[in-house]
Amino acid sequence: MLPPDRKGLESMANDGTSKRTQRPDGKGGAKKPAPRGGHGKRSGLNLDSEQSAKLLLYGIVAAVMVIAAAFLIFGYWYSVVRPRHRTVLAVDGITVSYEAMKRRMASEFLSNTNYQTQSGLEILPEAAYQTLLNELTTITQAESKLGITLTQEEFDVAFRERIVVSAEADQRTYADGLRNELNKTGLTEAELRRLVRAEALTRKIQDKFKAEAPATTLQAKLEVISTQTEEAAKQAIDLINGGEEFATVAKSVSREADVQTTGGLHEYGPKGSFNATYDDYAFSGEIGVLSAPLSSGNTTSPTYYVVRIVDRSEQPTQESEKPAIASQRLADWLQSTQDELLGQGKIKRDWEGQALSDALLSVIEDAGPKLAEQQRKQQEDQKRADEARQTAVAGLTASAGTPAADATPAPDTTPGAETTPAGEATAAADSESTPVAPSAPVAPGTNGQ
């Protein structure tokens, strides 16, 4: 028999074991003690959930930023990069990009004062497009359709003439001339060479057409009145219909420089030799009938013409008329060739709408400073020319007003009478220094570009 104290200890141990193994639902098993401090594994799960939520949020923000950046990059590519490199004109395998078209527009704008007006700007995009279309048509079709070619020697001569460099010039002079021409035109060297090639080929084509001019050509004889307003043109029509002679009315209201001598009569001329406003009418209108006022289309300085066809018939071809005949034939050849290429799918155009407007706005903004600098230089050159003229006039005046050392003036000589030659010299100098008015725009298809 065990001592009482040990028996009690064993009994207590058995009771504790029984309680630990009995489950709360009476099925046995002990309930696991609750973790101390209220944390343990459950607290660790809560912490992982918070971190996961933060990581998810960061991931969403990063994804949104990536998508936004992608949209921005795509938008820049689509609106800026893509238009720069996309083809806006293609002719039989030769392509012109959006940027190349802009460069040509800027070159035309800076070199031709007729485009530096509101009405000129309106036609600049289409004029530049047509000019390039004519160039590419000439380059790709002159040999196959007309048998016209350009040798390397002929091209070199034409190119040196364009950059104002002689055949004897050294390499440095050649490079300087080329760089100056590129800076002036704003074109790339390849674009400048293509332009020169087209111009040289065009000259050869015109020479061919002049040599082939027929002995007689259909020509028109016209009476023309030029007015500044449509109302004045209508009044002239009313006066002539009321019985006034055409020449009398022309001398009264027409703005043509020689109208007092000609009475508005324009002698026989072939198609292409008259003003572009009424050249087509001269060969399509009814003989002997007054035309309605024909507008030049210039909104800055409008002109309205009243035309009456006196006669239209075959007339002997004069030597002076051959250039006009050749230019008209060139225009007809370009048009018919382009129609043929278009039908064959060899001409592609993508030059309309917003792209055209954006290009024009960009050209105006970029060319503005260059135009201002160009005008400043022209003013400086004009100022120097005026100063030189004034110096020359002063020298002539002093020379004319100084009597010879052995000359004795007559008693009745009127003071200042000897200054008359100086006055004549001034008039002559003024006449020589009068700037020449800019030439009219060359009609598309006849400028050789």
Side-chain angles (χ1 to χ4, degrees), residues 382-398 426 429-430 433:
Q382 184 63 45
K383 183 179 179 180
R384 284 193 291 268
D386 291 342
E387 290 174 350
R389 178 179 61 81
Q390 291 171 3
T391 300
V393 169
L396 289 172
T397 302
T426 302
D430 287 341
S433 65

Side-chain angles (χ1 to χ4, degrees), residues 400-401 412-422:
D412 59 347
T413 300
T414 302
E418 295 179 3
T419 64
T420 302

Side-chain angles (χ1 to χ4, degrees), residues 15-65:
D15 290 342
T17 301
S18 177
K19 290 179 180 180
R20 284 197 300 271
T21 58
Q22 186 176 359
R23 295 175 58 180
D25 55 4
K27 297 181 180 179
K31 181 179 180 182
K32 293 182 180 180
R36 294 180 182 180
H39 296 289
K41 190 174 181 180
R42 183 178 180 184
S43 175
L45 290 174
N46 290 338
L47 184 60
D48 289 345
S49 297
E50 292 176 1
Q51 291 176 340
S52 298
K54 288 181 179 180
L55 290 175
L56 179 61
L57 179 60
Y58 293 153
I60 293 174
V61 172
V64 170
M65 293 178 66

